[in-house]
Amino acid sequence: RQGPLKSADRILAKAQSDYNNDFKKVLDVVRASAVFHSLEDLNNVLMALTKPGCKITVLRFKDRVTRGLASGYRDCLMNVKINGFDGWIVELQLHLYDIIELKTE
């Protein structure tokens, strides 16, 4: 599912704090999420994204499943380029259903 667009204020703040005011380096303006019911399903998608001929190219990957955040939250974040969409880079977030459910409680 499509996530919300990053707000202009948040883009400005991120460019200033993380990228020395270089707005072109803020790659997570457009986001989408996928939720999986098992680690196996999540892993299968990760493996599919690395196969030759995949129409999605993973440019950056943050594995926060095996190395979760201090809070215990876990997910995978990727910046990806989709073939046929010239120059577009988006963030793809992969979540585990049980963790998402805990987060919303």
Side-chain angles (χ1 to χ4, degrees), residues 36-92:
F36 301 91
H37 287 275
S38 71
L39 279 171
E40 181 180 6
D41 290 343
L42 189 147
N43 188 60
N44 288 340
V45 167
L46 292 174
M47 294 297 102
L49 289 172
T50 61
K51 285 188 177 178
C54 182
K55 295 183 184 207
I56 295 174
T57 303
V58 178
L59 303 172
R60 195 175 351 178
F61 180 77
K62 291 183 186 176
D63 177 1
R64 300 190 319 189
V65 170
T66 56
R67 301 187 70 141
L69 301 178
S71 66
Y73 186 77
R74 296 173 183 274
D75 63 6
C76 293
L77 303 177
M78 292 181 250
N79 293 118
V80 300
K81 184 168 72 172
I82 303 169
N83 295 351
F85 290 89
D86 186 40
W88 282 41
I89 298 173
V90 300
E91 182 177 79
L92 178 59

Side-chain angles (χ1 to χ4, degrees), residues 34-39 42 72-74 94-105:
V35 180
F36 301 91
H37 287 275
S38 71
L39 279 171
L42 189 147
Y73 186 77
R74 296 173 183 274
L94 306 181
H95 304 280
L96 291 167
Y97 177 80
D98 290 341
I99 293 175
I100 289 289
E101 285 299 302
L102 287 173
K103 183 179 175 184
T104 58
E105 288 180 358

